[in-house]
Amino acid sequence: MTPTLPAATPATSRGAAIVSEVTHHGLFWPVLALIALLLACGVMSPGFLDVTVRDGHLFGQLVDLLRNSATPLLLALGMCLVIATGGIDLSVGAVMAIGLAVSLTYLDNAPDPGDVGTVLVAVLLGLVVGALGGAFNGAMVAGLGIQPFIATMILMVAGRGIAMLITQGQITTVTSAPFKTIGSGFVLGIPTPVIIAVAAFVLVALVVRRTALGMFLESIGINREASRLAGVQARRTTWTVYVIAGVLAALAGLVYGAPTMAADANNIGLMKELDAIMVVVLGGTKLDGGRFYLGGLLVGAMLLSTLERAVIIFQLPSQTTPLFKAIVLIAVCVAASPTLRAMLRGRRRADRSDAPAAPVETTSAMEVTA
Amino acid sequence: MSTDEMVKPDSAVVAVAHRARRALRGLDRRFLPVLGTVLTLLVMLGVGQQRYSTERVDFVSMKLLSNLLVDNSYLLVLAVGMTFVILTGGIDLSVGAVVALVGLSIAEMFTAGLPLPVVLIVGVLIGTSCGLLIGVMVQMFDIQPFIASLAVMFLARGLANVISVNSLKIDDEGFSALAAWSLKFGEGRELWRINASMLIALTVLLIAFVVLHYTRFGRSVYGLGAGDGGAAVNLMGLRPARTRVWVYVISGTCAGIAGVLFALYTKSGFNLTGIGMELDAIAAVVIGGTLLSGGVGFVLGTGAGVLVYGLIQVLIAREGLDSWWTRVFIGVVLLAFVILQRVLTVRRR
């Protein structure tokens, strides 16, 4: 993520070089924060790090953490790809709500909500609606060339209204054992959400890293026009990415809403787009686009849910969570910022005295071209 | 126009059409989005007048205008601050959370027995410091405005939750008097009024108009939106770094003022206030004709955008539609304006 400077000062020793490489890695601070948090939780709540097997299922706080990471991970997965193209998807929270609303409304009206086939159709419907939402975003961004921020904001604003229309302003509740499994069941002893999220992660990672798609995404994120001239189908690729993000958001909605099986259109996925963006940023991907780290998402999602958990373990009111999210977010961003590094290195003193234009941007541009 | 005229065009008609086209071409392209906003406003007023006027009361009236301003004064202030930020090509997502934080802080300060002027000033300054924090992160640490303001949004929301998760009532006498103060005009059904929050909001709008269009600072704001990282502004001898910090300070201050106005409006503070309010503000700015990419826009257009926004809600309420239709309609109007913006920017190239 951060441009590793091609040794402006020759490294004094190999060891120092390795240390420097590790501390400059984008994931250094997030991983450090995650480990520190987990240890702190372990100290505060002695049984925290224990994992037990009950009825062949894994139990324990760590397992819960993994389960809670599933939704942000799914959202962040799509968000990361979108950000790689230089975009942003603000509509994921609303798409979560729409997807869940459609699935549960279908189940509600089905003759037998407990039937596995019916549930599969409901899930599929939810995902298709997610894809449609993504297609709309894609049409706006790739088709009309509207800034992603505002294009996806439209669905973000209108989407929740649409979800309310689908549920007719009610909180639709359904009873369906197979559907509930999606959110709170176990497969091979592992919670289903974790399986789903990891499967989606592996699938996306394979597609993006084993085919040229990932490179296309990055090239679009760096310079759309150049990549188009180089023969990348920028428009189609961008469109695909938004559709993928939409489907993943709908899936996240199902995973998130399945345990309670209540489609609360007003609250499902509220502010989740911001959690997703935070996971991407914590995972070491910059919002500028062009480069992305899927592996970082795992760390980011874990960090987010550990943070939420830690607040409870430290017996702080759970409403204060946003405060700690803010502190971590600011700390990680500032720690990763080139300005702070420069300040610590004691260079660029001159620039700090409000002298010339936007020192940071020009320097980073130079670093890239160098 | 009938086919006859098409075949044999009347010379007078041609002349008028020609002159109209020339007038349009002569019109600065930058005015076109705002023109769209004003047209939308007129169409909405026309529809309202057609559908909801009775024999005794017109829909379009001073009463409507004053109600719109009273109900949306906090949004107007927020949107004015947001206009500064968006003109530089940035964004401020924290304003909704800041409104909640300010409201609760005000309530808490009154409970602590602080005098009214102190409470009001500190309330606004809370917003200012949130904005300053964003500005410093954006300028000094090169963090994208989006993520910096997101962090401050979490911060403000978290602090608000720390203060209280319950709604705090504000029952200070001076504050209630300020909230209740209004000048009344007209009689009976034609009654309309001017109140304090409306005056504050309009003053903020006026100051913003003067600052943006008639000062060196205003030029820097527009220059920063040019997308060259402030290089042009710097070459012009203006101060890009300082300006970039200032726009966030302004937006934060406006959020502080809006927090005070919202507290006046509801006479309470609540931690769930203002969720999504930043998007309302951004939507109003966009509908008001400011390009999200920065550099182009008018703060008076933002004022019109807020009126359009408020009118949507009035029309939906008058139609008897459920409130969630509001979100859908705002989405549709936003869509229309974004596409309009897009068409205009494509043409300009």
Side-chain angles (χ1 to χ4, degrees):
Chain A
M1 53 158 293
T2 38
T4 29
L5 291 169
T9 48
T12 42
S13 73
R14 259 187 96 100
I18 290 170
V19 167
S20 151
E21 183 147 331
V22 169
T23 54
H24 278 73
H25 193 278
L27 283 184
F28 176 72
W29 291 105
V31 168
L32 205 66
L34 179 60
I35 294 172
L37 258 183
L38 285 174
L39 286 179
C41 286
V43 171
M44 283 298 288
S45 145
F48 183 78
L49 298 170
D50 299 349
V51 175
T52 54
V53 180
R54 230 181 288 159
D55 305 335
H57 301 337
L58 291 174
F59 274 98
Q61 301 237 40
L62 277 181
V63 182
D64 283 347
L65 272 188
L66 283 178
R67 187 207 307 271
N68 294 342
S69 309
T71 312
L73 180 61
L74 284 171
L75 289 180
L77 203 51
M79 186 70 80
C80 186
L81 298 185
V82 169
I83 287 176
T85 65
I88 194 104
D89 187 352
L90 292 185
S91 70
V92 291
V95 171
M96 274 177 83
I98 300 178
L100 189 65
V102 167
S103 284
L104 287 187
T105 307
Y106 175 79
L107 273 184
D108 197 25
N109 295 327
D112 179 17
D115 180 46
V116 176
T118 314
V119 169
L120 281 181
V121 174
V123 167
L124 205 63
L125 265 181
L127 297 184
V128 166
V129 168
L132 284 179
F136 173 78
N137 288 334
M140 301 286 287
V141 176
L144 291 173
I146 291 162
Q147 295 113 298
F149 181 89
I150 188 78
T152 56
M153 201 179 103
I154 291 169
L155 191 55
M156 181 196 193
V157 172
R160 216 159 274 288
I162 294 170
M164 289 293 271
L165 288 177
I166 293 168
T167 61
Q168 291 168 332
Q170 310 288 315
I171 298 178
T172 306
T173 42
V174 189
T175 350
S176 161
F179 192 77
K180 193 166 183 164
T181 314
I182 299 172
S184 51
F186 288 88
V187 175
L188 303 171
I190 301 166
T192 334
V194 178
I195 300 273
I196 293 175
V198 170
F201 180 82
V202 171
L203 191 69
V204 169
L206 280 180
V207 169
V208 169
R209 291 306 188 198
R210 289 282 166 236
T211 69
L213 186 65
M215 207 177 64
F216 289 168
L217 294 185
E218 293 186 324
S219 74
I220 292 169
I222 293 166
N223 190 331
R224 165 177 229 98
E225 192 54 25
S227 65
R228 195 185 64 78
L229 291 174
V232 175
Q233 294 200 311
R235 194 169 282 195
R236 194 190 291 175
T237 311
T238 311
W239 203 318
T240 313
V241 163
Y242 279 92
V243 171
I244 293 174
V247 172
L248 286 171
L251 187 60
L254 297 180
V255 167
Y256 186 78
T260 55
M261 286 195 290
D264 179 358
N266 251 339
N267 291 314
I268 293 277
L270 196 61
M271 312 293 257
K272 287 289 179 219
E273 53 281 336
L274 303 177
D275 279 357
I277 294 166
M278 186 170 158
V279 166
V280 174
V281 172
L282 291 182
T285 298
K286 280 218 164 191
L287 281 177
D288 311 339
R291 286 187 206 177
F292 65 103
Y293 275 96
L294 287 183
L297 298 181
L298 296 172
V299 179
M302 274 300 279
L303 187 53
L304 188 79
S305 55
T306 310
L307 193 67
E308 282 170 353
R309 193 74 208 163
V311 171
I312 296 166
I313 286 178
F314 283 94
Q315 294 181 341
L316 297 160
S318 63
Q319 300 86 355
T320 56
T321 314
L323 188 62
F324 299 101
K325 281 186 190 172
I327 293 171
V328 170
L329 193 56
I330 293 174
V332 169
C333 284
V334 169
S337 93
T339 318
L340 185 80
R341 296 237 173 91
M343 275 180 179
L344 290 181
R345 280 200 301 267
R347 291 180 199 166
R348 286 223 235 133
R349 281 232 174 85
D351 283 344
R352 277 193 286 160
S353 55
D354 189 53
V360 183
E361 271 133 318
T362 34
T363 330
S364 59
M366 271 155 55
E367 277 168 358
V368 170
T369 44
Chain B
M1 203 188 275
S2 74
T3 33
D4 262 307
E5 282 170 328
M6 296 265 288
V7 178
K8 229 191 257 174
D10 186 6
S11 61
V13 172
V14 171
V16 168
H18 188 65
R19 203 171 302 160
R21 206 174 302 148
R22 273 187 61 183
L24 256 182
R25 205 175 298 155
L27 184 76
D28 198 325
R29 291 208 79 91
R30 295 175 305 162
F31 286 108
L32 282 175
V34 185
L35 210 62
T37 317
V38 173
L39 275 178
T40 311
L41 200 56
L42 291 178
V43 167
M44 291 177 82
L45 287 174
V47 168
Q49 177 75 6
Q50 276 289 311
R51 289 184 67 90
Y52 314 119
S53 292
T54 59
E55 282 176 25
R56 298 173 59 190
V57 192
D58 279 333
F59 175 74
V60 180
S61 57
M62 281 311 288
K63 187 181 173 184
L64 175 77
L65 183 69
S66 84
N67 282 347
L68 275 178
L69 284 174
V70 168
D71 292 339
N72 295 294
S73 54
Y74 65 93
L75 185 61
L76 179 57
V77 176
L78 279 185
V80 165
M82 190 68 81
T83 308
F84 279 84
V85 176
I86 290 182
L87 279 176
T88 65
I91 199 85
D92 185 353
L93 294 182
S94 72
V95 293
V98 171
V99 166
L101 176 62
V102 171
L104 279 169
S105 308
I106 288 178
E108 195 65 24
M109 281 188 282
F110 276 129
T111 316
L114 292 172
L116 180 67
V118 175
V119 171
L120 294 186
I121 291 170
V122 173
V124 174
L125 286 182
I126 288 173
T128 309
S129 35
C130 286
L132 180 65
L133 189 58
I134 301 176
V136 167
M137 280 198 276
V138 170
Q139 179 56 39
M140 301 264 297
F141 294 104
D142 193 26
I143 298 171
Q144 290 99 329
F146 187 87
I147 204 79
S149 61
L150 179 68
V152 172
M153 169 184 153
F154 277 133
L155 191 73
R157 189 68 70 189
L159 285 173
N161 288 346
V162 170
I163 294 176
S164 170
V165 289
N166 300 313
S167 177
L168 297 182
K169 209 168 167 345
I170 301 176
D171 47 11
D172 179 79
E173 272 177 31
F175 196 75
S176 302
L178 190 62
W181 178 85
S182 67
L183 290 174
K184 291 192 172 62
F185 301 89
E187 288 290 319
R189 290 172 168 228
E190 288 294 331
L191 180 82
W192 58 279
R193 63 208 169 95
I194 291 174
N195 76 349
S197 52
M198 185 203 245
L199 286 180
I200 295 171
L202 289 176
T203 312
V204 169
L205 181 66
L206 194 70
I207 294 174
F209 174 73
V210 172
V211 168
L212 274 178
H213 295 299
Y214 297 101
T215 65
R216 186 184 149 103
F217 175 77
R219 273 190 291 284
S220 316
V221 170
Y222 277 93
L224 278 179
D228 57 358
V233 173
N234 192 42
L235 289 174
M236 284 160 73
L238 303 167
R239 301 190 185 89
R242 209 173 281 183
T243 309
R244 195 174 282 120
V245 177
W246 266 107
V247 292
Y248 291 98
V249 171
I250 289 172
S251 172
T253 309
C254 282
I257 297 172
V260 172
L261 296 188
F262 200 76
L264 279 171
Y265 188 60
T266 59
K267 284 204 216 132
S268 64
F270 186 42
N271 69 324
L272 295 181
T273 305
I275 289 182
M277 208 184 261
E278 52 281 339
L279 297 170
D280 295 343
I282 297 169
V285 174
V286 172
I287 293 174
T290 300
L291 295 193
L292 262 180
S293 44
V296 180
F298 300 96
V299 74
L300 291 183
T302 299
V306 171
L307 288 183
V308 168
Y309 201 93
L311 258 181
I312 292 176
Q313 280 159 322
V314 171
L315 293 188
I316 284 184
R318 290 280 185 122
E319 276 299 326
L321 288 171
D322 290 308
S323 64
W324 50 82
W325 274 105
T326 318
R327 313 299 296 171
V328 179
F329 270 93
I330 288 168
V332 171
V333 173
L334 208 52
L335 179 64
F337 271 90
V338 166
I339 291 177
L340 173 76
Q341 284 194 358
R342 184 63 198 153
V343 171
L344 292 176
T345 42
V346 164
R347 281 242 203 110
R348 192 177 305 135
R349 273 171 203 152

